[in-house]
């Protein structure tokens, strides 16, 4: 979710990788107080640093540069809330409620991954979209089927859809390198 939130804010030109983010130890929103995974003094980071450190608070602050409906639309573009297109029997579409029903706290939590549910294929597809220059290619589990007589039947080609621009995908890719460095 953090990757999608940051990508959406970049794509909407609400932030840049170098936009400053002041990350307090606690962030009061609505009837809750949000925190990161560890105690810390006020941190002075950029959007890139927020992603590199996987800050819940920083990601909430970035998400607040957009309307909830905008963030929801990007989650859908990345493939959340719908079956992946593999045709696998029993596949779940995950859980992504309409932003119209998000409570005050849910507006904050969806930005960093709570309050939604994704499948492993959907999660992998987010990274695939960024790595594929911002184009989401519907996943396939089977490339072809060979009949008993040796005839090979190809499965239909995957559909593709641009989710974010080349520039946004390149920026997020560089930012993700900071996660491991």
């Amino acid at each position: 979710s953090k990757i999608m939130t940051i990508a959406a804010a970049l794509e909407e030109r609400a932030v840049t990788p170098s936009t400053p983010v002041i990350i307090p130890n606690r962030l009061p929103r609505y009837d809750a107080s949000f925190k990161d995974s560890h105690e810390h003094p006020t941190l002075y980071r950029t959007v890139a640093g927020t992603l590199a450190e996987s800050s819940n608070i920083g990601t909430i602050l970035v998400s607040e540069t957009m309307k909830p409906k905008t963030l929801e639309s990007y989650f859908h573009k990345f493939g959340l809330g719908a079956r992946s297109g593999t045709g696998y029997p029993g596949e779940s579409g995950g859980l992504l409620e309409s932003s119209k029903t998000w409570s005050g706290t849910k507006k904050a939590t969806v930005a960093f991954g709570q309050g939604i549910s994704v499948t492993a294929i959907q999660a992998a597809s987010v990274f695939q979209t960024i790595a594929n220059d911002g184009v989401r290619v519907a996943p396939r589990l089977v490339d072809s089927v060979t009949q008993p007589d040796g005839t090979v039947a190809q499965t239909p080609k995957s559909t593709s859809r641009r989710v974010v621009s080349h520039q946004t995908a390149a920026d997020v890719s560089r930012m993700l390198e900071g996660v491991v460095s």
Side-chain angles (χ1 to χ4, degrees), residues 145-153:
V145 175
T146 304
Q147 301 298 327
D149 67 359
T151 307
V152 177

Side-chain angles (χ1 to χ4, degrees), residues 66-179:
M66 301 171 285
K67 294 180 179 179
K69 183 178 176 91
T70 301
L71 185 57
E72 177 196 2
S73 74
Y74 278 94
F75 281 13
H76 282 293
K77 289 176 189 176
F78 273 101
L80 274 59
R83 292 184 180 141
S84 68
T86 62
Y88 194 76
E91 179 186 12
S92 169
L95 299 173
L96 177 61
E97 295 175 14
S98 167
S99 59
K100 292 177 187 175
T101 68
W102 293 355
S103 66
T105 53
K106 192 167 209 171
K107 289 176 186 174
T109 60
V110 296
F112 63 86
Q114 294 180 3
I116 63 172
S117 172
V118 301
T119 66
I121 289 174
Q122 290 170 330
S125 183
V126 171
F127 288 95
Q128 172 269 341
T129 300
I130 296 300
N132 198 37
D133 195 39
V135 176
R136 181 180 182 276
V137 178
R140 291 190 307 173
L141 297 179
V142 177
D143 185 50
S144 63
V145 175
T146 304
Q147 301 298 327
D149 67 359
T151 307
V152 177
Q154 293 292 129
T155 56
K157 290 199 179 250
S158 296
T159 59
S160 63
R161 173 183 181 182
R162 178 157 296 281
V163 175
V164 294
S165 67
H166 161 77
Q167 185 62 54
T168 295
D171 286 345
V172 172
S173 290
R174 277 191 299 279
M175 292 164 70
L176 286 170
E177 289 175 11
V179 172

